[in-house]
Amino acid sequence: MEFTVKAERILLEREDEADTISFNLVLSAYSRQRRIESARRADALLHVLLQNSRLVADTYSYSAVLLAYARSGGQRRSALRAQELLQQMEVSGIS
């Protein structure tokens, strides 16, 4: 996870130069970690992406966070958060 955290830090330091693909790469790295902390970090990073008026989260962005929660072992809380994300996708028109 150390390298993923480092990648996230660099991404956030250069957020004005980043694109959605850059965010998705870090989100994907978190989704492979199988830890609840990684899922939460991915979720927080998705929030940063959603707040960026220059960028648009896509299906891949949400899918990476959903996968992070699915692999996290967080059980009920993870499932509830995943359901919230799916609803958010639907409201946003992302399929």
Side-chain angles (χ1 to χ4, degrees):
M1 187 163 110
E2 179 182 331
F3 293 113
T4 308
V5 171
K6 205 176 275 190
E8 178 187 1
R9 188 176 22 229
I10 292 168
L11 175 67
L12 294 176
E13 287 172 1
R14 299 178 179 192
E15 185 179 350
D16 57 329
E17 302 169 26
D19 57 14
T20 302
I21 294 169
S22 302
F23 274 85
N24 288 348
L25 288 169
V26 178
L27 291 170
S28 178
Y30 277 128
S31 75
R32 294 187 189 109
Q33 309 263 321
R34 299 182 186 273
R35 298 175 61 190
I36 190 65
E37 181 183 346
S38 298
R40 290 182 181 141
R41 289 188 75 106
D43 201 346
L45 188 58
L46 176 64
H47 182 74
V48 171
L49 175 58
L50 293 170
Q51 296 302 310
N52 189 314
S53 61
R54 192 176 52 80
L55 303 176
V56 177
D58 57 18
T59 304
Y60 193 87
S61 309
Y62 280 94
S63 295
V65 179
L66 289 168
L67 185 58
Y69 276 116
R71 291 179 171 170
S72 72
Q75 299 168 351
R76 182 164 170 74
R77 282 182 145 175
S78 293
L80 291 172
R81 181 59 185 141
Q83 186 175 21
E84 290 171 358
L85 287 169
L86 287 169
Q87 290 171 346
Q88 186 177 344
M89 285 177 70
E90 187 177 331
V91 168
S92 299
I94 297 172
S95 56

